[in-house]
Amino acid sequence: MKLSQISLFLVLGAATLPAQTPDAPKKQRAVAVTEGPAVALQVVQNNSLVRVNATSQPFSLHLPWQKESPSSRRGLGVVLAGNRVLVTGQMVADSTYIELELPEKGQKIPAKVVAVDYEANLALLESVPSDRQKAFFAGLKPMAVDTSARIGDTVDILQTGRVGELIKSELKIGKVLTRRYNVEGSGFLVYEANNIVRSEANSFTLPVVKNGKLVGLLLSYDSKNQVTTILPAPIIEHFLKDVADGSYGGFPSLGMELQSTLDEQYREYLGLKPDAPGVLISLVMKGGSAEKSGMKKGDILIAINGFAIDSRGDYKDPQFGALSSSHLVRGRAYVGDKVEIKVIRDGKEVTLTGELTRRKPDDYLVLPYLFDKGPRYVLMGGLLFQELSSPYLDAFGEEQRGGAILRLSHVASHPEKYEEDGRKKLVFLSLVLPTPSAQGYEKLGGQVVNKVNGKAINDLNDLADAFKSAKDAVHVIELNDFPHIIYLDTFNAERDNMRLLEGAYRIGSLKRLE
């Protein structure tokens, strides 16, 4: 999604404000290594960093009973108080093994994830308390977090060389804005900095420091334009404070869509004066903070927590200047905080109050992301059923989104109808394996399932239960699109299930419902 002059999205649950820059990465990837012109690099000493090595192995999205080939990642973690290490969420996603390494000595110790937020792209690691752990961290010093960085400040990206030497690359912060991190649609604060960044090796995590204090973590680097995006300290501080109380709530959201009011004719249509602030609320999501506060579609949002909202949807931040109003909720506030919202409704100013909540990934009809676990599925007689997720659609790429995948993409972008019908997840037929029971259905796929054996399907658990209650020894499966109804002989389907187990497709289980 791109931010246009006419519309923008504000804190839509767990996946909200779209990237405001065209270079937002769509997949997990390491920071690019530039082979550009030589740049002066300064070797520095720092005892607050450790190498982090991780092995990851995600589940297959199309054959969900299988795993993809394992891969390795390397980054630099920041040592914090309590012998914990901060890295990006990308670094540890789908990890099967993580270890910490002293850059100079090469000494290693296993580690585990103790807290992770994939929307904010942050993770906290620690090793098991032991004499070995004490020895590993004996020469290391926790690094403080500095949230004072502003536009024009000079910061340094730290990297390690071949034998552990630390290399400093200097950059200057040129912009502060909001854009997504690693998860499609989730919008957070970022710094943009300019200069050449060289690297000894590809990395998923690099610290950004100022005067020996942490001001951010490297998100991405555009070698062509020499633009670096940085996950900033205010978001890191928010994450760490939330983790510290032992009950991580995550970053809150309002749950609404906004439409900017820059166009003069549009403002006249809405009844707004030429110099009046505010943006149109074009959608209020069911169950979100906005709805619970009493917000309605058609309201004109003019202020959040005392900060005026202009016709672009921005407010004036005391530290960063003009900034997307999404940061008022997803950066400055916590889950459970009270929120005051001022709107214009029917020409009158109305003040609404409520409590900020977070829409968790499992609360979405279409899962916004899927890490550290396999996709849920049910296999019956060669028909594979799954719950729709954004990663599943992303795996096809934009150029392959035709036919059934295009229809599913449209559903994912407009889930309101299905949510109103009471669906918790969108169950669809994703694949047909060549079995006698499925003969004639080979070309089906991407079909939304409405009912099975007369029972409405609101999630995959409903589907599994419905297959236990066949009528007349036949499973009747009702689909959203042509051919609308398909049939499976129950005896033949069970026979095919037994043949599929441990067969050519290496299927170890006919379902995953956890």
Side-chain angles (χ1 to χ4, degrees):
M1 293 185 294
K2 296 285 192 297
L3 181 67
S4 67
Q5 188 182 34
I6 299 299
S7 65
L8 59 95
F9 296 102
L10 175 62
V11 288
L12 306 182
T16 60
L17 185 69
Q20 295 186 11
T21 60
D23 300 315
K26 293 187 177 181
K27 297 182 180 179
Q28 296 181 22
R29 60 183 177 88
V31 176
V33 180
T34 175
E35 299 297 338
V39 59
L41 300 177
Q42 180 182 350
V43 177
V44 298
Q45 298 299 317
N46 193 302
N47 59 354
S48 299
L49 305 176
V50 295
R51 281 179 179 158
V52 180
N53 306 312
T55 300
S56 65
Q57 190 174 19
F59 280 88
S60 168
L61 296 169
H62 298 147
L63 300 176
W65 55 84
Q66 294 183 8
K67 278 196 167 187
E68 303 288 358
S69 299
S71 60
S72 60
R73 298 169 182 162
R74 167 173 281 194
L76 274 183
V78 180
V79 177
L80 302 177
N83 292 339
R84 289 185 165 183
V85 175
L86 180 73
V87 294
T88 59
Q90 283 180 279
M91 181 73 208
V92 299
D94 299 308
S95 59
T96 56
Y97 180 74
I98 304 171
E99 67 179 11
L100 309 178
E101 177 185 350
L102 295 178
E104 294 182 6
K105 300 177 181 178
Q107 181 181 347
K108 299 176 182 178
I109 188 172
K112 63 179 181 180
V113 178
V114 293
V116 63
D117 188 324
Y118 289 115
E119 297 161 29
N121 198 15
L122 289 168
L124 203 56
L125 311 178
E126 72 176 13
S127 56
V128 177
S130 64
D131 292 339
R132 183 181 176 188
Q133 184 212 44
K134 291 180 181 178
F136 184 91
F137 284 93
L140 298 175
K141 178 182 178 182
M143 182 181 287
V145 177
D146 181 4
T147 61
S148 67
R150 298 171 179 266
I151 293 175
D153 285 357
T154 298
V155 297
D156 301 313
I157 291 180
L158 298 184
Q159 303 170 66
T160 55
R162 184 178 61 85
V163 294
E165 73 276 16
L166 287 167
I167 302 172
K168 181 175 70 173
S169 300
E170 188 177 280
L171 299 95
K172 179 173 288 189
I173 298 176
K175 293 181 182 179
V176 177
L177 63 161
T178 59
R179 49 155 287 186
R180 76 176 179 87
Y181 289 175
N182 187 39
V183 176
E184 182 69 37
S186 58
F188 291 92
L189 189 74
V190 298
Y191 301 154
E192 272 194 6
N194 304 93
N195 210 342
I196 296 174
V197 177
R198 298 181 63 94
S199 178
E200 293 291 324
N202 287 351
S203 175
F204 275 80
T205 296
L206 289 176
V208 184
V209 301
K210 175 187 173 185
N211 298 326
K213 295 182 179 181
L214 183 70
V215 296
L217 296 175
L218 186 65
L219 278 174
S220 64
Y221 173 58
D222 179 358
S223 58
K224 180 179 179 180
N225 297 303
Q226 298 178 12
V227 175
T228 299
T229 56
I230 299 168
L231 194 164
I235 302 300
I236 294 172
E237 183 182 61
H238 187 296
F239 172 74
L240 295 177
K241 285 184 177 179
D242 204 343
V243 170
D245 65 8
S247 178
Y248 187 72
F251 290 76
S253 60
L254 277 177
M256 64 183 184
E257 293 181 8
L258 300 182
Q259 189 169 335
S260 65
T261 57
L262 291 170
D263 184 81
E264 292 182 4
Q265 292 181 336
Y266 188 53
R267 294 176 64 83
E268 184 178 350
Y269 168 77
L270 295 173
L272 287 174
K273 296 179 180 179
D275 58 345
V279 285
L280 177 71
I281 299 173
S282 57
L283 176 68
V284 177
M285 300 182 70
K286 185 177 180 180
S289 305
E291 184 192 52
K292 293 178 180 178
S293 300
M295 193 173 292
K296 296 181 180 180
K297 179 181 178 180
D299 287 346
I300 304 295
L301 175 65
I302 59 174
I304 298 177
N305 288 340
F307 289 93
I309 310 300
D310 67 19
S311 56
R312 290 182 174 84
D314 293 342
Y315 77 102
K316 189 174 182 180
D317 188 90
Q319 181 175 351
F320 304 117
L323 191 63
S324 169
S325 53
S326 65
H327 183 60
L328 288 170
V329 176
R330 292 187 70 82
R332 295 174 63 99
Y334 292 79
V335 171
D337 283 357
K338 300 298 182 181
V339 62
E340 181 184 272
I341 303 169
K342 290 186 178 181
V343 301
I344 295 176
R345 180 182 297 169
D346 299 328
K348 297 180 180 179
E349 183 176 308
V350 178
T351 299
L352 308 172
T353 58
E355 184 176 295
L356 291 175
T357 61
R358 172 180 175 250
R359 197 176 185 192
K360 299 178 181 179
D362 287 339
D363 295 336
Y364 284 80
L365 180 76
V366 178
L367 283 171
Y369 56 88
L370 187 66
F371 295 116
D372 305 326
K373 59 182 180 180
R376 285 160 48 93
Y377 72 92
V378 169
L379 190 58
M380 176 59 71
L383 302 183
L384 176 63
F385 301 92
Q386 292 184 246
E387 292 176 343
L388 188 61
S389 68
S390 292
Y392 177 88
L393 295 172
D394 292 341
F396 288 92
E398 294 294 335
E399 66 281 356
Q400 299 183 46
R401 291 196 180 187
I405 301 303
L406 184 60
R407 290 198 300 271
L408 290 175
S409 298
H410 179 76
V411 171
S413 300
H414 304 84
E416 296 82 16
K417 173 183 177 297
Y418 295 93
E419 290 175 333
E420 291 172 0
D421 290 342
R423 303 215 191 188
K424 300 176 182 177
K425 293 289 181 290
L426 200 70
V427 177
F428 71 108
L429 174 63
S430 64
L431 181 67
V432 179
L433 299 177
T435 63
S437 298
Q439 189 172 3
Y441 300 145
E442 296 89 348
K443 294 183 179 180
L444 293 181
Q447 302 275 36
V448 175
V449 180
N450 293 329
K451 293 183 179 181
V452 170
N453 296 329
K455 296 186 177 182
I457 305 303
N458 294 320
D459 61 16
L460 213 54
N461 295 80
D462 289 344
L463 182 75
D465 291 339
F467 275 131
K468 299 176 183 178
S469 58
K471 298 178 181 179
D472 302 322
V474 174
H475 292 303
V476 181
I477 304 170
E478 300 180 39
L479 306 174
N480 210 35
D481 298 297
F482 182 84
H484 298 294
I485 298 179
I486 60 178
Y487 303 91
L488 280 182
D489 181 276
T490 57
F491 176 80
N492 290 335
E494 290 297 332
R495 181 188 60 189
D496 289 339
N497 285 346
M498 298 305 296
R499 290 176 176 175
L500 287 171
L501 284 172
E502 306 299 342
Y505 294 97
R506 298 182 294 165
I507 299 173
S509 176
L510 295 172
K511 60 185 177 182
R512 181 188 293 118
L513 298 176
E514 71 278 2

